[in-house]
Amino acid sequence: MKVVVISGSPRKNANTQVIMKYVFEYTKSKNADTKFINLSDGQIECYRGPEEEYNERTKNAASDIMDADVWLIGSPIYNSFFSSALKNLFEYINYKKTEGKVAGITILAASNIGFIDVQTLITQLLSYFRVITNPKAVFLTTESISENTISKEEDKKRLRDMVDETLKIASKLHQD
């Protein structure tokens, strides 16, 4: 099974990046064919239309997403929405190549507000791509991050459980 982990924050020292690197390492220990797309690297270009030419990093990220069976997506909440960098990334994705994929979601916010709204927005986006979304998203606040690491073992367990459940859903769907 091919898995892609997406850190949806464009910020260089993003807390979302800390969380999604943990998700990536854990997922890679369970599934060798796992790739990491980190939007804080700043190498994904702004979408300008289908007839334009884009850099290799942008084309590879889009290809990795369309080739993957499972998407593990992490996004911060910015202005009551998921990150615009994440939305930009999905402009490159061809919905005709994504039906039946499975996604897990992690959302990070400064406080306990807006999680369900942003989960709904991401789920609606994924629905457009005909992606089946694990209904058990992980909601974390920035209090979960200390010195560039996840400080609470309970939060790490919730992330591992989300990965395990998402991979389980995907394996059941792809048994045939």
Side-chain angles (χ1 to χ4, degrees):
M1 200 165 16
K2 293 181 179 182
V3 179
V4 66
V5 176
I6 303 168
S7 177
S9 175
R11 294 181 179 171
K12 289 289 179 214
N13 297 312
N15 287 323
T16 303
Q17 178 182 193
V18 172
I19 291 165
M20 297 316 289
K21 281 183 177 177
Y22 178 83
V23 167
F24 171 70
E25 292 301 328
Y26 177 72
T27 305
K28 194 145 180 76
S29 76
K30 304 199 75 101
N31 186 83
D33 196 355
T34 301
K35 295 185 178 180
F36 187 57
I37 298 171
N38 186 358
L39 298 183
S40 69
D41 288 345
Q43 297 179 12
I44 304 297
E45 294 182 90
C46 187
Y47 186 74
R48 301 180 307 277
E51 58 286 326
E52 297 295 320
E53 190 59 36
Y54 297 97
N55 67 30
E56 282 303 306
R57 184 70 179 238
T58 301
K59 291 189 278 190
N60 288 341
S63 177
D64 289 345
I65 291 170
M66 289 184 284
D67 289 345
D69 303 299
V70 177
W71 304 345
L72 299 171
I73 302 168
S75 179
I77 296 178
Y78 294 151
N79 301 317
S80 299
F81 212 81
F82 57 88
S83 81
S84 59
L86 184 61
K87 174 62 170 80
N88 179 67
L89 177 64
F90 277 94
E91 293 295 337
Y92 295 97
I93 307 308
N94 181 345
Y95 73 93
K96 294 175 184 173
K97 297 182 179 181
T98 57
E99 184 173 358
K101 296 180 185 302
V102 177
I105 302 169
T106 301
I107 301 169
L108 181 71
S111 64
N112 283 313
I113 190 165
F115 287 118
I116 299 298
D117 294 338
V118 173
Q119 178 188 17
T120 300
L121 294 168
I122 293 173
T123 301
Q124 287 173 333
L125 175 68
L126 295 175
S127 178
Y128 171 78
F129 290 101
R130 301 177 185 144
V131 171
I132 298 156
T133 306
N134 179 347
K136 295 181 185 174
V138 176
F139 305 143
L140 297 172
T141 65
T142 52
E143 293 174 1
S144 298
I145 309 296
S146 176
E147 298 177 17
N148 285 326
T149 188
I150 302 169
S151 54
K152 298 178 185 172
E153 194 56 43
E154 173 190 329
D155 293 340
K156 291 178 182 179
K157 181 183 181 328
R158 290 172 48 222
L159 290 166
R160 292 190 306 265
D161 288 348
M162 181 274 296
V163 169
D164 291 341
E165 290 172 14
T166 305
L167 293 176
K168 184 177 177 182
I169 293 167
S171 66
K172 284 183 178 182
L173 287 172
H174 296 110
Q175 281 179 6
D176 46 1

